[in-house]
Amino acid sequence: MASPKNEGFLTDEQREVLKIAVQNAEVLSSSPSPRSPTSSLLLQEFYKNNGGGNGAGGGGKALGAGPKHVRRCHSGKFVKVKKDGGGGKGTWGKLIDTDLDPCLNDPNDPNYDSGEEPYELVGATICDPFDDYKKSVLNIIEEYFANGSIEAAISDLRDLGFKEYHNYFVKRLISMSMDRRDKEKEMASVLLSSLYSDVLSPAHISQGFMMLLDSIDDLALDIPEAPDMLAVFISRAVVDDILPPAFIGRAKKLLPENSKGVEVIKIAEKSYLSAPHHAELLERRWGGTTRVTVEEVKKKVIDLLREYAENGDTAEACRCIRELGVPFFHHEVVKRAITLAMEKPESEANVLRLLKEANEELLISSSQVSKGFSRVQESLEDLSLDIPSAKAIFNSLTQKAVSEKWLDASFTSSAGSNGEVSDGDYAKLRRYKEEVVTIIHEYFLSDDIPELIRSVEELACPEYNPIFIKKLITLAMDRKNREKEMASALLAALSMEIFTTDDVVNGFTMLLESAEDTALDVLDASDELSLFLARAVIDDVLAPLNLEEISNKLPPKSSGTETVTMARTLASACHAGERLLRCWGGNTGWKVEDAKDKIAKLLEEFETGGDLGEACHCIRDLGMPFFNHEVVKKALVMAMEKKNDKMLDLLNECFNEGLITINQLTKGFTRVRDGIDDLALDIPNAREKFDSYVNRARENGWLLASFS
């Protein structure tokens, strides 16, 4: 037996036996089969023969009692453990205690803590920001199609954020408009032009159209005409300068060779962009509701009122009025309804009920109701020939409408006054209007601006200058594009000769106040007035701040304020000069390309000869002051290419002579700034050159303070 001091330790012989047993166990455990029981038996035999490590062979329990209940404690001794691994000196206890006292977490216990209760994991859906963006975009587009407010759509999209998803907005806007009327298609094109550069970048536009080309197969399943529609949208975007012409070539390379997307590109290239006068054709492609004639609308109004007189279904009549889609022409509904009540007294109650309900539902605005009553009042003399009691019936209807509060009480005192002049000056004003109409008609035939100016000066009625402007534009809107262009050109000449800015502001204010009357003959009067306003800004007849002044003079939320908002958007859009030039066709009959060629040639001649006076004379002879930003742009680009700053001397001379205004200079610099990335591909130092030009322009006062 070993000495007492060695008790609890292995002898050399025991160590050797244990080493052999462990080696055998390792060899057997390296086989692919489960652990062989042989190794366990060897270890069991060792402990059985050697007493668990005691030198005398006592004190230890043989392993043969079963490995299941043997555990080695931290001291190195082997001890028998309890069932399920719990208890015993030197052990960790049970892995999971399954016999907890149920009273430990009793809610009725004063010491109960709900935080000790087991946690319950609840699943939650992870929100994808792109899903939220898609839902918001859908609402923005739906609201825009409903109210036509470009400013609201721009504000909503800007507030939405997520600029990285804006290419989806382009795709969604166009795809939704494809399944709607021409009006919505035109609205989609106008909105994209308005968003360009301010909210949407060129990359957003290009990527959005590429997404549409990739998904055109799916779109064609629901909308068979989708390929042709998309070709028109792409062509229109190129014409509006929001999509570069190089997009056509890039798209061909990126799309599969025989895909429907390539077919769309070919249609756009060959059928639309290569057609003669394609710019004008594309801009008029989506006519929408503006192509409905006044006679067609009047006929629909008469039919729906006749049907209503027979069945008395107010809800159906309101639905038909809404489907007309001409809220600016609802005064015709009011007028026809009142006339119907005069012709058929038994229908008076139904007519009053219809007009009241339409006004309460905001289907027919209060201004439209007042306008309708005014039109009936103006024609009472003629109506009395066929309906002797017309005046009495009209007075009765007016009193009932005012008492029920769907007709403004001020109508009874203001009806019959146009607000332009007092009664004592009426005869003078009537003669002036007659003479002005004759002068304008002669101008449309002769195109002689000096003669017209002399005729207006001979009238010697400067206080009526705003009325002249109102008559000029009203008469032009009812004629062809040639007369519209002549009216804009005449307005620019008059503003320099005899008309003040206040005259122009007051003239446009009067036009917008009576826009609903103008819509009787020209259904798209609001759109055309916005073009005249925007063109006046481009021609420097009005300053942008004057648009705000005009808007403040109009009733809030009226059709006039909406027209001013549209004009402001058109005038501030990228490449507004070229777009507004094309809207009337140009007084000289030139295409934009012709004008650009003439500008390039005169600048080349100046670069060769260097005659400042001759160059200024040629710019003046162009007769296109609203397009002088093209002169500025080409002069700056040529200065970069030729490395000759002589072009800046020309711009300085033009500025000093008042030939090129500060607005046109700023617009020209802005166009170069926007295209500086493309210029840098051909002119490596384009950015440095442009920065030096901007510094010189600021020193000479060529640029507006808003330029950045």
Side-chain angles (χ1 to χ4, degrees), residues 144-164:
Y144 170 64
F145 284 156
N147 58 38
S149 176
I150 295 176
E151 192 173 52
I154 293 174
S155 176
D156 291 344
L157 189 61
R158 185 185 290 111
D159 294 342
L160 181 59
F162 298 108
K163 293 182 179 180
E164 64 272 20

Side-chain angles (χ1 to χ4, degrees), residues 329-382:
F329 201 55
H330 283 166
H331 51 78
E332 178 70 15
V333 178
V334 178
K335 176 192 172 185
R336 296 282 178 178
I338 295 173
T339 305
L340 177 65
M342 293 178 178
E343 294 173 346
K344 298 181 179 180
E346 66 275 10
S347 65
E348 179 179 321
N350 285 340
V351 166
L352 290 173
R353 186 171 67 253
L354 172 63
L355 294 179
K356 179 182 179 181
E357 186 167 333
N359 179 255
E360 290 176 348
E361 291 182 4
L362 302 180
L363 178 59
I364 299 179
S365 66
S366 298
S367 63
Q368 292 290 309
V369 172
S370 298
K371 183 71 67 177
F373 270 84
S374 297
R375 293 183 60 203
V376 174
Q377 187 182 48
E378 291 170 359
S379 60
L380 277 177
E381 296 295 334
D382 295 332

Side-chain angles (χ1 to χ4, degrees), residues 27-262:
V27 172
L28 292 172
S29 64
S30 63
S31 64
S33 61
R35 183 176 178 181
S36 174
T38 307
S39 59
S40 299
L41 292 174
L42 289 171
L43 291 173
Q44 291 176 25
E45 184 67 21
F46 168 76
Y47 287 115
K48 181 178 180 181
N49 295 334
N50 294 284
N54 291 326
K61 182 73 179 176
L63 194 60
K68 180 178 180 182
H69 302 294
V70 177
R71 178 179 296 163
R72 186 170 180 170
C73 66
H74 295 289
S75 64
K77 296 181 180 181
F78 286 84
V79 296
K80 183 177 179 180
V81 299
K82 294 181 180 180
K83 188 176 181 180
D84 293 331
K89 184 178 180 181
T91 66
W92 292 105
K94 293 184 180 181
L95 294 177
I96 301 178
D97 195 349
T98 57
D99 297 326
L100 292 175
D101 186 352
C103 297
L104 290 178
N105 286 329
D106 186 1
N108 298 321
D109 190 341
N111 296 323
Y112 169 74
D113 185 1
S114 61
E116 296 178 357
E117 294 288 348
Y119 292 103
E120 180 180 359
L121 297 178
V122 179
T125 304
I126 299 176
C127 294
D128 185 355
F130 184 50
D131 292 336
D132 295 338
Y133 179 86
K134 290 195 289 187
K135 294 177 183 177
S136 301
V137 158
L138 180 63
N139 293 333
I140 292 173
I141 296 173
E142 290 285 2
E143 289 178 6
Y144 170 64
F145 284 156
N147 58 38
S149 176
I150 295 176
E151 192 173 52
I154 293 174
S155 176
D156 291 344
L157 189 61
R158 185 185 290 111
D159 294 342
L160 181 59
F162 298 108
K163 293 182 179 180
E164 64 272 20
Y165 299 145
H166 280 352
N167 53 344
Y168 174 81
F169 174 83
V170 177
K171 175 189 175 184
R172 190 63 171 158
L173 173 66
I174 294 176
S175 60
M176 287 179 65
S177 68
M178 285 181 180
D179 201 24
R180 297 178 180 241
R181 298 173 297 176
D182 284 352
K183 175 186 175 183
E184 282 77 13
K185 296 182 182 71
E186 174 65 22
M187 290 174 69
S189 291
V190 171
L191 180 59
L192 285 180
S193 295
S194 303
L195 290 168
Y196 180 73
S197 121
D198 184 17
V199 180
L200 298 179
S201 68
H204 291 143
I205 302 288
S206 299
Q207 292 168 9
F209 275 105
M210 282 304 303
M211 292 170 67
L212 284 163
L213 289 168
D214 289 335
S215 61
I216 190 62
D217 290 311
D218 296 332
L219 287 171
L221 295 177
D222 299 323
I223 310 170
E225 302 85 4
D228 187 69
M229 290 181 186
L230 182 55
V232 176
F233 273 111
I234 291 174
S235 303
R236 174 67 179 270
V238 172
V239 168
D240 288 346
D241 293 323
I242 63 174
L243 200 62
F247 173 82
I248 302 295
R250 287 202 301 265
K252 279 184 181 179
K253 295 178 181 178
L254 294 174
L255 294 168
E257 185 175 353
N258 295 321
S259 65
K260 195 175 288 291
V262 172

Side-chain angles (χ1 to χ4, degrees), residues 528-541:
E528 295 200 352
L529 280 175
S530 66
L531 288 172
F532 274 110
L533 267 172
R535 175 66 179 271
V537 173
I538 296 298
D539 289 347
D540 293 322
V541 175

Side-chain angles (χ1 to χ4, degrees), residues 663-685:
N663 287 329
Q664 293 292 310
L665 279 161
T666 303
K667 192 173 290 293
F669 271 83
T670 301
R671 291 180 60 196
V672 176
R673 181 198 63 193
D674 293 342
I676 197 68
D677 290 333
D678 294 332
L679 286 171
L681 298 177
D682 300 322
I683 309 170
N685 62 342

Side-chain angles (χ1 to χ4, degrees), residues 615-656:
C616 291
H617 177 73
C618 292
I619 294 172
R620 189 177 290 105
D621 284 349
L622 285 174
M624 304 170 75
F626 48 83
F627 202 50
N628 280 343
H629 54 80
E630 178 70 16
V631 178
V632 179
K633 176 194 171 186
K634 286 193 178 297
L636 293 175
V637 173
M638 190 173 291
M640 293 179 187
E641 292 175 342
K642 306 288 186 180
K643 298 180 180 180
N644 186 351
D645 292 350
K646 187 164 57 174
M647 291 296 170
L648 299 181
D649 297 334
L650 173 61
L651 295 181
N652 188 53
E653 184 69 17
C654 291
F655 177 72
N656 292 334

Side-chain angles (χ1 to χ4, degrees), residues 465-470 473 491 494-495 499-514 529 532-533 536-537 540-554 560 564:
N465 286 346
I467 297 174
F468 178 91
I469 294 174
K470 177 184 175 183
I473 296 178
L491 193 58
L494 289 171
S495 67
F499 284 6
T500 65
T501 302
D502 288 340
D503 290 336
V504 180
V505 169
N506 293 332
F508 273 106
T509 302
M510 293 170 61
L511 268 168
L512 294 168
E513 287 175 342
S514 62
L529 280 175
F532 274 110
L533 267 172
V537 173
D540 293 322
V541 175
L542 292 174
L545 288 176
N546 294 136
L547 296 182
E548 189 69 26
E549 181 183 351
I550 293 172
S551 181
N552 292 335
K553 293 183 177 182
L554 300 171
V564 174

